[in-house]
Amino acid sequence: MDKFVIRGGNPLLGTIKVSGAKNSALPCMAAAILTEDEVILENIPQVRDIETERRLLESMGAEVELGYGRAQHRTSIKCAVLSDPVAKYEIVKTMRASSLVLGPLIARTGMARVAMPGGCAIGGRPIDLHIKGLEAMGATITQEHGYLEARTNRLKGAHIVFDKITVTGTEDLLMAAVMAEGESLFENCAREPEVIDLAALLNAMGAQIKGAGTSTIRIKGVAKLHGARHRINPDRIEAGTFLIAGAITGGDLNVDCCNPAHLGSLLGKLEQCGVKLDIGKENVRVRSGNKLVAADITTEEYPGFPTDMQAQYMALATQAEGTSVVTENIFENRFMHVGELNRMGANITVQGRSATVRGGTKLQSAAVMCSDLRASAALVLAALVADGESILDRVYHMDRGYERLEEKLRGVGAQIRRMGEVFGKK
Ligand code: EPZ
């Protein structure tokens, strides 16, 4: 099991580059299932979940090239023949976003067999809304032996109102609707930038989608889709993580190659905490200056404060003067980082969906355990400011969604190294 060794105390100085968004790349790669032609995606992050998606597509018969030359991170996917439209359990169990192939598989082949994704560390994470939407579009779906079996002659456009706002649910059904017979009207959709990114790719492939990024999306079904080339958005959560790294270490950090327009609620909250920000067109510079002051957050669907930034913000709150209340509205068990932060000297108590963070605590280095992608990021941030050397175990969680994290952080002055092999380097 890979470990990170981090010695705290260095302010981060210089420029750090943001990679492409994992949560855009995953649905966009699945969208390639909808056509026999080649789909080329640029600015793909070099992270484990992308490798998993590649294995998943290849297991179904797709030809996938994945290149991470310094100049460009890109993938070419060709689903000319889908010989085995099955998402097998051994892959799905490692990445629940595999359920994103459900909609495109049914749309393309009229059938799909997808292992039910179990829950994960942060919650049960059912996909009942994906299933309900596909049934509304005419798919017959049975569940047996841990697999979803879906069949249809041809999907029909439908009027779907999501009971809950779901990001991959919106994406899955978008991909199901683009070649359905007739029109679809989706309401109470997710408004995340990743949904906009996917819709942009689908429209480039010949789909007719209007309203992506708003709660109401209209889709006119077309007979066929063709190949396209598309550049993936920058990763807004990686950018936010780096901004907090600059703030928590009292540094002067330029977070480059990002899209500040996707960071609205986070930037406002950081300024409320006293963090100084210079916001550019494709970068945000974070500087220390005033002391950090406490501020409460409540996670909401986009454009509210992102649940994927909750753990990282909590690490920052341990250093702010005063008490911050962190309320997690999206997932039922997303406080796995609290116990480990407290072992580093934080003073956090959890009551139901809220955590109370008493700030101004000096963090001490410790041996800690990563539990999920964003909780791991919170532990890295805490270790960057703790005195002494921390050991973070199970950093494979980090490798799922952060590209070359230790290299990027070392490049701006962090004392971080990895024990064990390095993902992505043979
Ligand atoms: C996406 O997960 C992201 N993953 C998550 O990022 C992110 O935390 C989440 O959206 C919320 O923003 C990808 O895009 C690959 P949801 P998703 O469906 O789509 C409930 C990361 O760190 N729900 O929007 O699975 C669900 O239980 C990951 O990169 C149902 O009840 O999340 C949750 O409480 C973690 N039934 C809420 O909706 C359903 O059918 C929002 O979940 C679907 C969802």
Side-chain angles (χ1 to χ4, degrees), residues 48-69:
R48 203 179 285 273
D49 275 7
I50 298 300
E51 279 292 338
T52 305
E53 179 84 355
R54 168 198 187 148
R55 284 203 331 272
L56 174 61
L57 292 171
E58 287 180 336
S59 74
M60 297 194 274
E63 294 162 51
V64 184
E65 280 165 39
L66 202 45
Y68 291 113

Side-chain angles (χ1 to χ4, degrees), residues 172-195:
D172 213 359
L173 294 182
L174 254 190
M175 291 190 276
V178 289
M179 295 197 289
E181 197 177 326
E183 299 200 12
S184 295
L185 170 63
F186 292 171
E187 293 185 274
N188 200 26
C189 299
R191 294 185 278 165
E192 271 69 2
E194 292 76 42
V195 174

Side-chain angles (χ1 to χ4, degrees), residues 79-109:
C79 299
V81 176
L82 286 171
S83 47
D84 189 12
V86 180
K88 297 176 187 65
Y89 178 62
E90 55 274 6
I91 295 182
V92 175
K93 73 181 177 187
T94 66
M95 185 181 71
R96 54 179 326 290
S98 309
S99 55
L100 277 165
V101 301
L102 190 55
L105 273 183
I106 304 177
R108 167 81 186 272
T109 67

Side-chain angles (χ1 to χ4, degrees), residues 22-23 26 96-97 122 125-130 164-169 171 192 307-308 330-332 334 373-374:
K22 157 182 89 81
N23 290 350
L26 291 172
R96 54 179 326 290
I122 63 177
R125 301 188 72 184
I127 58 167
D128 56 311
L129 301 180
H130 302 229
K164 282 181 85 163
I165 294 174
T166 160
V167 177
T168 49
E171 293 164 347
E192 271 69 2
T307 174
D308 291 352
I330 306 293
F331 291 110
E332 62 269 30
R334 203 167 198 176
L373 175 53
R374 307 305 174 182

